[in-house]
Amino acid sequence: MKKNYFLGMATLGLLTLAACSSDEDPIIDNPTASGTQEIVLQVVNSGDGLTTRAGRPLNSSAAGQTIENVKVIIVNDENKIVKVKEYSNWVSGDASTYANGYQTTLTLKGNEKLNADTYTVYAFGYSNNSDYDVKPITNLAVNGTFNPNITLEFKSDATNKIGEEIFAGSLDGLVVSENGEEFRKEVVLNRQVAGTFGYLKDIPYMDGKAAKLRLVASTRNTQLVLGNFANFDLTSNGDATTNTGHINYVVNGTSEAEEEAHVIYEITLTDWFGTVKDADNDGLIDVEDNWTGAKADAEKYAEGSVFAGEFLIPFAKVTSPDAQQTFRLQLVDNSGNELRGWNVNLPSTDGQVEEHTLTAWAGSDFTEESVTDTKNCYSVVRNHLYGIGTRTLDDPDVPGTENEDEPETLNTVQELVLKVNSNWEVIHKMEIE
């Protein structure tokens, strides 16, 4: 079975660390010091910023990471763990920036070097106090046997059970033909979850009944499977033309949620507007002297807009017994009754509406299938961002500027068409009908 390596990172255990301070990509297969074995660990998508939740919030399509922990294991050809390395200050000290994220170099010297064998290097990057139960990662130790597909569940007391950003990856088939043979290899860690956001304006008044906007999915998964990684250093955040040949479609989620839990995010309108009123009788919630812009964050958003975003565990499209709309944006009242709704669609030019290979978790392993999605019924795949509106920065200089930070209007459309973006691996420009 072909492996579609998608999100990756890796390290070596019980090693001497030599950090790369250069912002340029490392030279591969060319050891910098005689008699050493080196693995360059790269976590794609640099970024900073603090957050009060376990993982960083999804506020835009900007590349970013705030993970604190990276754990690396090396396993031999029999899946026995031979080395382990842990970093607890990844962004704040263990790694340095490079063009596409953060990286460091792990160096093995002397009796730490790998003997002749075939190895796989796995690495996992996660947040402190993660909402996932990460014990399947933290419990990995030397001499243990490694299952190459790790399933993570949410903690029972997790505050967020939709999705949290996590990175992982592997270097497969590392052949050391002679004891202590020198090498220099690169391992890239990419994002293991999908993402979605809504950046919206011109909210219908609906006779004063409008209370919330929410994104509802046809289904949702509650467990994340770490496996089937890609060892590729994605560039040009979300630019499908730049990443041609390295765009993967991977559903690495499992354990379907109950139907009532299919809401991905909600926007309470009174968080953004002083009151829900329409004094000028134009059919829209008043903005002038009424829009508060989520109070302290008003300067980050276009006047009159609302915003929400979430990382989420990937899921396969629902086709049985009938094909279902994957995402629907709803305007609801205080009881959750839909007052108005919009189908959220992929554009006709998107890669997912063309024939492609879908790699999906099938309960015990990943399988591959050639599929073609439709604009309405499509899978939500790993390291792709499905966004309504355009928002490229968490804190834009001029919110509301076309092509840089532009909320989508809800005044004249009946269906919303998504933008899927990936270094996100690809950014697909979505449209609204």
Side-chain angles (χ1 to χ4, degrees), residues 135-342:
K135 288 194 293 293
I137 296 173
T138 58
N139 288 345
L140 295 171
V142 172
N143 296 324
T145 299
F146 179 67
N147 178 350
N149 298 307
I150 291 179
T151 300
L152 300 182
E153 302 179 0
F154 290 107
K155 296 174 182 175
S156 59
D157 60 349
T159 57
N160 163 32
K161 294 191 177 182
I162 303 297
E164 179 186 306
E165 193 169 49
I166 189 169
F167 292 79
S170 66
L171 171 65
D172 193 31
L174 173 59
V175 178
V176 179
S177 57
E178 300 178 3
N179 287 351
E181 179 183 12
E182 298 175 12
F183 61 78
R184 181 176 173 87
K185 296 291 185 180
E186 178 183 274
V187 180
V188 182
L189 293 70
N190 288 294
R191 191 181 292 103
Q192 292 291 301
V193 293
T196 184
F197 68 77
Y199 189 29
L200 310 160
K201 65 180 180 179
D202 302 327
I203 315 302
Y205 175 64
M206 305 305 293
D207 296 326
K209 297 178 181 178
K212 295 180 180 180
L213 282 163
R214 66 184 186 188
L215 185 72
V216 180
S218 57
T219 187
R220 188 174 69 80
N221 283 323
T222 63
Q223 296 180 10
L224 181 69
V225 183
L226 303 181
N228 202 273
F229 307 120
N231 193 29
F232 181 72
D233 192 10
L234 296 166
T235 60
S236 301
N237 187 33
D239 185 346
T241 59
T242 302
N243 292 325
T244 298
H246 300 283
I247 299 171
N248 296 289
Y249 302 92
V250 181
V251 172
N252 58 324
T254 188
S255 187
E256 183 179 358
E258 297 294 330
E259 184 174 357
E260 59 270 18
H262 290 182
V263 174
I264 305 302
Y265 59 70
E266 285 189 335
I267 302 170
T268 300
L269 296 179
T270 53
D271 288 345
W272 296 80
F273 299 92
T275 57
V276 175
K277 63 179 181 178
D278 181 21
D280 57 5
N281 295 313
D282 65 352
L284 305 177
I285 297 174
D286 289 346
V287 173
E288 187 175 357
D289 299 324
N290 187 45
W291 182 74
T292 61
K295 301 176 177 62
D297 288 335
E299 71 279 2
K300 296 182 179 181
Y301 300 96
E303 185 178 9
S305 68
V306 299
F307 180 89
E310 285 287 350
F311 295 103
L312 71 160
I313 295 175
F315 61 83
K317 61 186 178 182
V318 177
T319 58
S320 179
D322 299 305
Q324 294 186 25
Q325 177 72 39
T326 293
F327 282 137
R328 183 169 175 81
L329 183 70
Q330 297 178 328
L331 181 62
V332 301
D333 62 20
N334 280 316
S335 299
N337 300 308
E338 181 177 313
L339 304 173
R340 187 170 175 183
W342 299 264

Side-chain angles (χ1 to χ4, degrees), residues 68-116:
E68 296 93 351
N69 305 285
V70 169
K71 181 159 186 174
V72 182
I73 66 168
I74 302 176
V75 304
N76 63 17
D77 202 31
E78 297 177 349
N79 273 338
K80 181 180 179 181
I81 301 173
V82 297
K83 292 188 183 294
V84 174
K85 176 67 177 181
E86 298 182 60
Y87 298 94
S88 58
N89 297 289
W90 177 257
V91 170
S92 61
D94 290 333
S96 59
T97 59
Y98 78 108
N100 301 318
Y102 284 80
Q103 72 176 23
T104 196
T105 301
L106 299 166
T107 304
L108 296 176
K109 297 180 179 179
N111 59 11
E112 295 175 341
K113 293 165 68 175
L114 298 174
N115 294 325

Side-chain angles (χ1 to χ4, degrees), residues 4-68:
N4 286 326
Y5 293 102
F6 184 61
L7 299 160
M9 71 186 214
T11 36
L12 294 170
L14 304 178
L15 352 140
T16 301
L17 172 65
C20 287
S21 59
S22 172
D23 286 343
E24 299 180 356
D25 292 341
I27 299 174
I28 307 305
D29 295 324
N30 182 20
T32 59
S34 177
T36 64
Q37 297 174 337
E38 295 182 341
I39 292 183
V40 179
L41 302 172
Q42 298 180 333
V43 182
V44 173
N45 295 346
S46 64
D48 47 30
L50 300 177
T51 173
T52 57
R53 56 185 282 180
R56 74 181 178 98
L58 177 58
N59 288 329
S60 69
S61 62
Q65 60 186 269
T66 58
I67 57 173
E68 296 93 351

